[in-house]
Amino acid sequence: MNSLDAIRQLLPSWFVWLPSVVYLVLIALVVVLSIQMGLYLTLRAYHKEAPEHWADRARLLHPARMLAASSPFWLAVFLSIPSFLFVSPLHPMPAGLFTTLVFVVAYGVGFRQFHRLDQRLRGQHLSMWQRLKYTLSFLMVMYPHILIAIFLGLFLMTREQNGQWFGFVVWGTVGMLVAISGASLWLLRWAGALLPAPTSLQNVVTRSSQQTNVHPHSVWVLPSTMSNAFALPFSHQLLFTQPMLEQLSDKELEAITAHELSHLSESWKVRLVRMGLGLVFGAWFMVVPFWVWREEYGFILLSALGLFVIALVGNTLFRSMEEQADEAGQEQEGEEGVYARALEKIYQYNLMPAVTGRKSVHPDLYDRMTHAGVEPSFPKPKPPSFRAMWGARVLGLVLAFGFLVGFYTSLSFAFPKNQYWQTAALAFSPRVELPLRRLSWFARKQKDLPQAALYSQAAMELSGYRSYYIYSHLWLLLRMKQCAPSKVLWRRYSVPLHQWMIQYNWEKSYGYLRRRVRNCKP
């Protein structure tokens, strides 16, 4: 039995659950406070103007909705990394398991804030679990390769980079290729998250396919909170969300279907670029945890800049594909303005701004409508202002960073004379040797020298045999008349101990210690 196992047997029963519960509660409070402060900043303009038209409401609400949708994930990642890097070897849970628990709690609490906001703004009546299921289904449809890369990256994070490591990377790449090719849809269908298309939708797709001469292999309905349609070029399948079927007429659905069928007819070069970009981003998410573990932050920064440049190039190509698909939707609309009205209904239902002010993959709704020859029923709105959103994000990260610094600093340096605090600090302290040293001091004060030696030995081992801890443990062994281990420790570390004591002008103490070791008798 090593010293850590022996210490685990000495720890009180509350050590197994109380520190972890308190930490998770604090994490939840930090996430709630960060998001609520951000929402207060981003919703001020909306409450001040109180607009009536949906385009103005969407413009003013977009920053708050973007903040609430993205904050749960980024805060969960930001708060989980220290839990993995600094968790103590004496923590009752393995580092990976506890980090996963921290991520789940942080994301779950943050997702609930987003759920409450979206429910209040859009008047939807569904449970948080339904929204979470719909969100996971959407990620499985659009980004299954990223999910595979993240999970595999966390699995490989702490493993040695050898042949087996590269084998996992190769199989992970194969898994991403299979997922991009449409395998995730079969998993969703097996789980009941993907429904067969009703007869009315099949008839709409059939009519549109006959006009465009593009025939999808299958058509599915995806339960969702958003109104949208997706084309999957690699598996040649179409997906429509349930709200879209409920709000659009058959003529409007035909125009939207023609838009999506245009994506299925893309050239093999465009498909190759789509797959290549998907694999590049997936590989980045797979390798980043490995670089984080080895503190290769330069590689992370350079690769992120490279991905940003690649994304800009891909964005230009994909925008041209969207413009081409818009033209296909206009050509197949039958009546003039049907396609534009369908787009307006989709944007209105999703509360998406008509003008974004950014050159994203999809053109702005206002430009799409005017290009289709339809004059919008509202004046061209201003783009959303994202200053409050970015300020709220920075404020949230500062708050989370302040909590982490305060928490881990207090574990190492606060209440040095409180035995209960030092015991709890064993679970999380990034320098666990400090509370171990103080617990050793408490044991000496209580005349329990064997327990003091146990804490002292563990502190010495976890500090990497730093000279101070060797010196302290050596004196404790001599006091206990443990001559054999004292002499072994002296033979191994007398030279670095001598150099350390010279720095503090402790040469006389070194000589006295040497004599005590040599003359030690059990």
Side-chain angles (χ1 to χ4, degrees):
M1 180 185 299
N2 58 33
S3 57
L4 293 181
D5 291 334
I7 288 175
R8 289 190 184 98
Q9 295 183 0
L10 295 175
L11 294 174
S13 58
W14 56 263
F15 180 81
V16 176
W17 60 272
L18 184 59
S20 300
V21 169
V22 171
Y23 184 76
L24 293 175
V25 170
L26 292 174
I27 287 287
L29 290 175
V30 168
V31 171
V32 171
L33 187 59
S34 298
I35 294 179
Q36 289 300 322
M37 290 175 62
L39 291 180
Y40 172 76
L41 293 176
T42 51
L43 288 173
R44 288 176 65 188
Y46 173 76
H47 292 309
K48 184 178 180 180
E49 296 186 23
E52 295 184 0
H53 195 275
W54 76 265
D56 293 324
R57 291 184 68 235
R59 173 178 64 88
L60 295 173
L61 289 174
H62 189 62
R65 296 182 67 221
M66 288 283 290
L67 176 75
S70 60
S71 292
F73 177 78
W74 292 115
L75 283 174
V77 171
F78 188 77
L79 292 168
S80 298
I81 291 175
S83 302
F84 185 84
L85 297 178
F86 299 140
V87 68
S88 165
L90 288 168
H91 195 278
M93 279 191 254
L97 177 61
F98 183 71
T99 303
T100 304
L101 187 60
V102 170
F103 181 89
V104 169
V105 170
Y107 183 82
V109 172
F111 189 84
R112 179 167 177 78
Q113 306 307 307
F114 166 66
H115 168 71
R116 293 175 62 186
L117 175 72
D118 210 49
Q119 206 167 28
R120 187 178 68 202
L121 297 178
R122 298 175 62 200
Q124 294 179 333
H125 301 287
L126 70 160
S127 67
M128 192 184 79
W129 300 111
Q130 284 179 303
R131 187 183 297 275
L132 183 60
K133 184 175 73 172
Y134 294 162
T135 302
L136 291 176
S137 300
F138 171 78
L139 293 175
M140 288 286 290
V141 169
M142 298 302 296
Y143 309 109
H145 55 296
I146 300 297
L147 297 178
I148 292 173
I150 290 174
F151 284 116
L152 188 59
L154 294 175
F155 174 74
L156 297 175
M157 186 175 184
T158 58
R159 293 179 176 268
E160 184 181 353
Q161 195 172 18
N162 52 24
Q164 188 180 33
W165 189 91
F166 285 105
F168 277 115
V169 171
V170 171
W171 281 111
T173 306
V174 172
M176 288 192 291
L177 281 171
V178 172
I180 292 174
S181 300
S184 59
L185 297 187
W186 299 109
L187 183 61
L188 288 174
R189 186 184 176 188
W190 172 79
L194 202 61
L195 307 176
T199 305
S200 58
L201 178 59
Q202 292 178 3
N203 294 336
V204 167
V205 174
T206 299
R207 288 194 297 269
S208 189
S209 299
Q210 290 172 350
Q211 293 175 358
T212 59
N213 200 28
V214 180
H215 301 278
H217 293 163
S218 55
V219 183
W220 303 98
V221 175
L222 181 69
S224 175
T225 60
M226 306 294 285
S227 177
N228 213 335
F230 310 97
L232 304 179
F234 302 109
S235 58
H236 221 66
Q237 300 182 78
L238 294 181
L239 277 78
F240 296 82
T241 62
Q242 193 73 46
M244 175 173 281
L245 304 184
E246 296 170 356
Q247 68 170 155
L248 299 186
S249 65
D250 286 354
K251 291 293 184 181
E252 291 167 339
L253 278 175
E254 283 186 33
I256 297 297
T257 302
H259 173 105
E260 301 303 332
L261 290 175
S262 175
H263 288 304
L264 295 187
S265 62
E266 291 173 352
S267 67
W268 65 269
K269 294 180 181 179
V270 175
R271 297 188 190 186
L272 191 62
V273 171
R274 289 186 184 274
M275 180 168 286
L277 282 176
L279 291 178
V280 167
F281 275 86
W284 189 79
F285 278 100
M286 191 187 303
V287 176
V288 159
F290 183 78
W291 284 340
V292 169
W293 177 251
R294 282 154 182 77
E295 300 182 358
E296 300 287 351
Y297 302 115
F299 285 128
I300 297 175
L301 180 60
L302 290 176
S303 60
L305 291 175
L307 283 182
F308 179 73
V309 174
I310 293 173
L312 289 179
V313 176
N315 186 74
T316 304
L317 173 63
F318 299 149
R319 186 181 176 91
S320 66
M321 292 295 102
E322 289 297 332
E323 293 171 350
Q324 180 180 318
D326 280 345
E327 293 177 0
Q330 296 165 28
E331 291 173 0
Q332 303 298 328
E333 64 183 354
E335 271 180 54
E336 185 178 0
V338 169
Y339 180 67
R341 286 195 300 272
L343 289 177
E344 185 176 6
K345 286 183 179 180
I346 293 171
Y347 275 68
Q348 182 177 355
Y349 182 87
N350 295 335
L351 268 183
M352 294 294 295
V355 176
T356 61
R358 298 177 176 182
K359 196 171 182 180
S360 57
V361 173
H362 290 86
D364 290 337
L365 171 66
Y366 197 90
D367 295 336
R368 297 170 88 174
M369 294 183 72
T370 54
H371 185 265
V374 175
E375 185 67 26
S377 60
F378 51 91
K380 187 172 184 177
K382 298 178 181 178
S385 174
F386 292 98
R387 286 180 299 177
M389 184 191 73
W390 284 109
R393 281 182 175 173
V394 171
L395 181 62
L397 290 178
V398 168
L399 180 62
F401 181 76
F403 160 73
L404 292 173
V405 171
F407 181 81
Y408 286 104
T409 303
S410 65
L411 288 177
S412 298
F413 302 106
F415 308 112
K417 296 183 179 181
N418 188 306
Q419 186 171 356
Y420 295 103
W421 182 271
Q422 298 304 320
T423 302
L426 292 178
F428 298 106
S429 179
R431 295 184 60 189
V432 71
E433 63 270 16
L434 293 178
L436 283 171
R437 186 188 72 185
R438 290 164 187 155
L439 289 172
S440 176
W441 180 82
F442 289 132
R444 286 186 221 176
K445 194 173 180 182
Q446 297 167 2
K447 308 297 184 183
D448 191 347
L449 295 184
Q451 186 171 332
L454 193 59
Y455 285 126
S456 177
Q457 181 179 347
M460 179 181 64
E461 293 172 357
L462 292 174
S463 70
Y465 289 90
R466 291 174 59 190
S467 297
Y468 172 82
Y469 293 95
I470 296 172
Y471 175 79
S472 177
H473 187 58
L474 193 55
W475 272 114
L476 188 57
L477 291 176
L478 292 171
R479 186 177 174 184
M480 296 171 60
K481 303 294 186 180
Q482 297 287 331
C483 298
S486 301
K487 292 180 179 180
V488 170
L489 196 62
W490 179 262
R491 282 196 299 268
R492 288 181 181 176
Y493 299 105
S494 59
V495 173
L497 190 61
H498 186 210
Q499 295 172 349
W500 173 73
M501 297 181 76
I502 287 176
Q503 294 178 1
Y504 295 96
N505 296 321
W506 288 359
E507 292 189 43
K508 292 183 178 180
S509 299
Y510 176 79
Y512 179 68
L513 182 62
R514 180 176 56 188
R515 289 193 297 273
R516 284 288 305 270
V517 173
R518 288 180 178 177
N519 299 329
C520 180
K521 294 181 180 179

